[in-house]
Amino acid sequence: MPFNMNLWKVDHNGLKELPKSRLDSEERLEEWIAYDSNITGLDILLIGRQVVTYYGGRIDLLGMDSEGNLVILELKKDKTPRDVVAQTLDYASWIKDLTYKQIEAITMNYLKCSLKDAFTDKFLADIPEEINKNHSIVIIASELDSSSERIVQYLSSEFDMNINCIFFDFFKEENQEFLGRSWLMDPEDVAERTESKKSAPWSGLYFVNVGDGKHRSWEDCKEYSFLSAGQGSKYSGPMKKLKIGDKVLAYLKGKGYVGFGEITSAAVMAKDFRLSNKTMLFDNELKQPNIKENKDNPELADWTVGVRWLKTFDRENALTKPRIFANQNIVCKLRHQPTIDFLSSHFSIEQD
């Protein structure tokens, strides 16, 4: 079962719980997602809306992730819970065989530009030579009945399907509206379970997105021996899963791999991260001071792990090549053997 979401408004020195309301039309929710798919918590490029299948159905929203895999987003709308699950599975049976040419046509119809250009603009990387190797299903609703939830969980756990549900809660106070989001299952766990059954054995190495940009800098990570993620629990949560002794490969989005190291300390809020010289991270001169944003909020603050860097490169010399492994997740297990072979020679990684 998903977590029940409650929302409180800070009112002077007290808290006021906001009442839940019924969204007057799920068409509005579809509009919001179409305008900004980030509200789903997924790093995807939307390539189609109301996509007509050969069987006469209409996929509400069709996306593509950074690995070139298709993502179905289907809203419950006026369908019964079981109908939306069955219908979404039917859509999945159709999209799994779509060719590049067919996906290109869907993209051109919706975005009025080529799939290649749209992908590059979104992910700052070339589109993979082979796309649609896998696909995932996301059912979006305000609620589902317990039977339908069990079906989705069963398909995920027993058949290793990348299927999940996002629940949006709607709150209203006078003329002000609020939207909250929760998942039926941890999306990182679902993706990892699905990937592990379809891919090579785990190498023992973790892929970690550096997150270089508005809130942190690779130069800071390199100089002060840390990795961090934050500005929401979706991002900081995976960082908390890293344990002392884990081997990590740091990836700079759009550039390539820039560091290989070993975790030396469990995740703490960035404001509490102490360097080897005993000084606090925030007491040093940082190239990206915005990492201090929301520093006192456990949900929004950056969470930081210590790293003993074994070898690093600056951003201009990041290691990359065509079809190298890249992923939108903050942390994931690296299983892609061609990438491991390529990086091993540069980082002097010993393979079993």
Side-chain angles (χ1 to χ4, degrees):
M1 293 288 290
F3 294 106
N4 290 322
M5 178 170 290
N6 298 84
L7 196 64
W8 286 265
K9 177 183 179 181
V10 179
D11 190 6
H12 299 294
N13 293 324
L15 296 173
K16 177 183 178 182
E17 185 172 2
L18 300 181
K20 288 186 179 180
S21 300
R22 179 177 292 276
L23 186 62
D24 52 2
S25 169
E26 287 198 351
E27 300 287 348
R28 294 180 66 197
L29 184 53
E30 184 179 326
E31 289 284 350
W32 294 334
I33 297 172
Y35 178 74
D36 184 4
S37 62
N38 288 325
I39 69 170
T40 63
L42 299 168
D43 186 17
I44 59 173
L45 165 69
L46 285 181
I47 62 170
R49 183 177 180 187
Q50 294 301 312
V51 178
V52 179
T53 72
Y54 290 160
Y55 317 125
R58 287 180 177 269
I59 301 173
D60 287 333
L61 295 162
L62 185 62
M64 177 175 282
D65 66 20
S66 62
E67 296 176 58
N69 297 318
L70 294 179
V71 183
I72 296 172
L73 296 97
E74 189 66 15
L75 282 78
K76 177 175 173 288
K77 294 184 178 175
D78 56 354
K79 298 182 282 287
T80 67
R82 289 199 181 193
D83 280 347
V84 72
V85 174
Q87 188 175 68
T88 307
L89 290 174
D90 186 37
Y91 294 159
S93 73
W94 178 69
I95 71 159
K96 73 180 182 67
D97 294 321
L98 290 179
T99 64
Y100 188 103
K101 185 176 179 180
Q102 291 169 316
I103 298 170
E104 170 82 356
I106 292 170
T107 306
M108 286 292 297
N109 183 60
Y110 182 62
L111 296 178
K112 312 304 180 189
C113 69
S114 72
L115 175 60
K116 179 181 178 181
D117 289 344
F119 188 96
T120 301
D121 287 345
K122 169 66 178 179
F123 298 113
L124 303 178
D126 292 334
I127 191 167
E129 289 189 7
E130 185 180 359
I131 65 171
N132 200 21
K133 293 187 296 183
N134 297 302
H135 60 271
S136 57
I137 300 168
V138 180
I139 296 169
I140 299 171
S142 55
E143 61 181 2
L144 286 178
D145 65 288
S146 58
S147 176
S148 298
E149 290 177 3
R150 287 197 303 272
I151 291 171
V152 171
Q153 290 172 319
Y154 177 72
L155 291 171
S156 173
S157 61
E158 297 299 321
F159 291 93
D160 305 315
M161 289 183 62
N162 196 338
I163 183 171
N164 211 338
C165 299
I166 299 177
F167 299 94
F168 282 99
D169 288 308
F170 186 69
F171 302 84
K172 189 170 184 179
E173 184 186 45
E174 298 177 352
N175 294 324
Q176 197 166 10
E177 299 174 321
F178 306 88
L179 197 66
R181 184 194 72 220
S182 59
W183 290 82
L184 177 62
M185 297 171 286
D186 185 327
E188 299 269 351
D189 290 345
V190 172
E192 170 59 29
R193 182 168 61 246
T194 304
E195 185 71 18
S196 66
K197 296 297 177 69
K198 296 180 178 180
S199 305
W202 180 38
S203 64
L205 301 167
Y206 282 98
F207 166 97
V208 181
N209 258 311
V210 174
D212 185 85
K214 181 180 178 182
H215 292 102
R216 66 198 64 82
S217 163
W218 164 239
E219 296 305 316
D220 288 335
C221 295
K222 184 170 60 171
E223 181 174 355
Y224 299 113
S225 300
F226 74 93
L227 286 167
S228 71
Q231 312 312 310
S233 57
K234 170 184 180 290
Y235 303 104
S236 60
M239 193 64 61
K240 298 174 188 177
K241 296 179 181 179
L242 292 172
K243 296 179 175 59
I244 294 173
D246 285 343
K247 297 292 196 303
V248 295
L249 283 158
Y251 178 81
L252 194 58
K253 186 176 180 180
K255 295 290 186 179
Y257 287 84
V258 289
F260 171 55
E262 180 178 330
I263 300 299
T264 58
S265 64
V268 296
M269 291 173 65
K271 69 170 185 174
D272 299 322
F273 183 71
R274 190 181 297 275
L275 308 184
S276 58
N277 64 8
K278 307 304 181 184
T279 65
M280 306 303 293
L281 174 63
F282 286 180
D283 290 338
N284 291 272
E285 186 174 345
L286 301 174
K287 291 182 173 61
Q288 181 46 281
N290 285 346
I291 192 175
K292 300 178 184 179
E293 191 173 309
N294 300 309
K295 63 184 178 66
D296 296 313
N297 185 331
E299 288 296 313
L300 297 178
D302 260 53
W303 283 72
T304 302
V305 295
V307 184
R308 179 172 68 91
W309 293 116
L310 301 173
K311 191 167 185 179
T312 60
F313 293 89
D314 58 35
R315 68 181 63 235
E316 289 73 21
N317 295 308
L319 301 174
T320 189
K321 69 171 188 173
R323 298 186 298 281
I324 200 165
F325 178 84
N327 194 287
Q328 71 268 30
N329 292 327
I330 300 301
V331 176
C332 68
K333 293 178 178 179
L334 184 58
R335 303 175 186 274
H336 189 245
Q337 195 59 46
T339 295
I340 296 167
D341 292 340
F342 170 69
L343 296 177
S344 292
S345 60
H346 293 278
F347 284 121
S348 301
I349 301 171
E350 295 183 3
Q351 297 189 57
D352 295 332

